[in-house]
Amino acid sequence: MYAISLGDDGAELRPLEPWYAEEFLAHLERGRDFINQYIPFGAKATDVDSAREVLQRYADMRAADTGSLHGIWLDGKLVGGVLFLNFDAENANAEVGCWLEPAGTGRGLVTRAMRVLIDFAVEQRRIHRVEWIASAGNTPSLDVARRLGMTREGVRRESYPYRGVRHDLEVWSILAPEWREARTRAAHNDR
Ligand SMILES: CC(C)(COP(=O)(O)OP(=O)(O)OC[C@H]1O[C@@H](n2cnc3c(N)ncnc32)[C@H](O)[C@@H]1OP(=O)(O)O)[C@@H](O)C(=O)NCCC(=O)NCCS
């Protein structure tokens, strides 16, 4: 299948399609406790059939142009991914999200994959606003938003009930001109 290289460490971004159900389930089993600390991503995938259903739901969103799921492979092993939770081409708004199993953390995999996703959204699909929403306690996630150059807009106080706690949700975003400016700055710094 086609893949986008994320650097010289063998990391790749590929569409995470329903036929990956077995691999997706094995990955979730390795990372479930970590992944589900703040979000229920993949929680409904408890066997191969339900894993396929989760992936099919995103495949359907992709077909409808309302969202999509992309896996990150490191040395041929699925270790996480990035996604468009919402994709609203008509209003040029998108919401992105991410997850990793512990073995994939600390390498910039999500930051690198997210750059590919946002570039695609902004440059190819003319998305104007890319949004990032995370629990206020989810420091690694907020760090990714900051690293991507997003702006912290505010807090939806105690808006997200999860595992018996009402979490504050932080809303971050980046607008298309800000993204282009950040990319130009990064390219100059690389010279
Ligand atoms: C959120 C989550 C994906 C962040 O993982 P992460 O590994 O910190 O994020 P990245 O892949 O972008 O890697 C960044 C880390 O790699 C380091 N790094 C190494 N090489 C890097 C590079 N080329 N570019 C950027 N960062 C790099 C960074 O310094 C950072 O480490 P630090 O936080 O110790 O400074 C992870 O904590 C997770 O999956 N959590 C559970 C699911 C979840 O909560 N998802 C988000 C819901 S809102």
Side-chain angles (χ1 to χ4, degrees):
M1 232 312 146
Y2 59 91
I4 296 171
S5 170
L6 294 176
D8 53 15
D9 59 355
E12 284 183 346
L13 188 64
R14 306 180 204 163
L16 186 45
E17 294 172 335
W19 60 274
Y20 281 119
E22 273 183 40
E23 204 176 342
F24 181 55
L25 180 65
H27 151 66
L28 287 176
E29 296 301 358
R30 292 191 296 271
R32 212 178 275 286
D33 292 346
F34 177 73
I35 294 166
N36 293 150
Q37 284 175 94
Y38 292 100
I39 52 166
F41 179 79
K44 287 190 179 152
T46 52
D47 55 25
V48 176
D49 285 344
S50 50
R52 194 176 297 108
E53 278 168 27
V54 169
L55 297 180
Q56 187 61 51
R57 198 162 53 79
Y58 286 103
D60 292 345
M61 287 171 77
R62 188 186 184 100
D65 202 26
T66 56
S68 56
L69 196 60
H70 312 265
I72 299 172
W73 275 260
L74 184 64
D75 298 327
K77 188 164 117 184
L78 178 64
V79 293
V82 289
L83 67 155
F84 287 113
L85 285 153
N86 291 301
F87 194 90
D88 177 356
E90 190 182 344
N91 294 302
N93 290 319
E95 182 189 344
V96 289
C98 64
W99 81 97
L100 287 170
E101 65 176 78
T105 61
R107 302 161 179 265
L109 290 176
V110 153
T111 301
R112 288 186 265 157
M114 201 52 83
R115 287 194 179 118
V116 174
L117 218 61
I118 299 176
D119 263 344
F120 164 76
V122 169
E123 301 302 348
Q124 292 188 42
R125 302 301 311 279
R126 298 291 156 197
I127 292 293
H128 180 69
R129 174 189 162 87
V130 178
E131 195 168 73
W132 185 282
I133 299 175
S135 291
N138 194 349
T139 306
S141 174
L142 301 176
D143 285 347
V144 176
R146 190 176 297 106
R147 211 175 286 118
L148 290 168
M150 292 189 167
T151 296
R152 182 178 182 272
E153 296 182 332
V155 179
R156 294 186 198 156
R157 295 182 304 149
E158 300 187 8
S159 59
Y160 175 49
Y162 184 61
R163 295 184 162 177
V165 179
R166 294 196 66 91
H167 293 263
D168 288 351
L169 283 184
E170 292 204 8
V171 181
W172 292 62
S173 74
I174 191 157
L175 305 180
E178 297 166 351
W179 179 251
R180 293 195 181 106
E181 203 179 298
R183 299 297 281 158
T184 310
R185 250 196 332 266
H188 277 291
N189 290 342
D190 286 349
R191 280 177 199 159

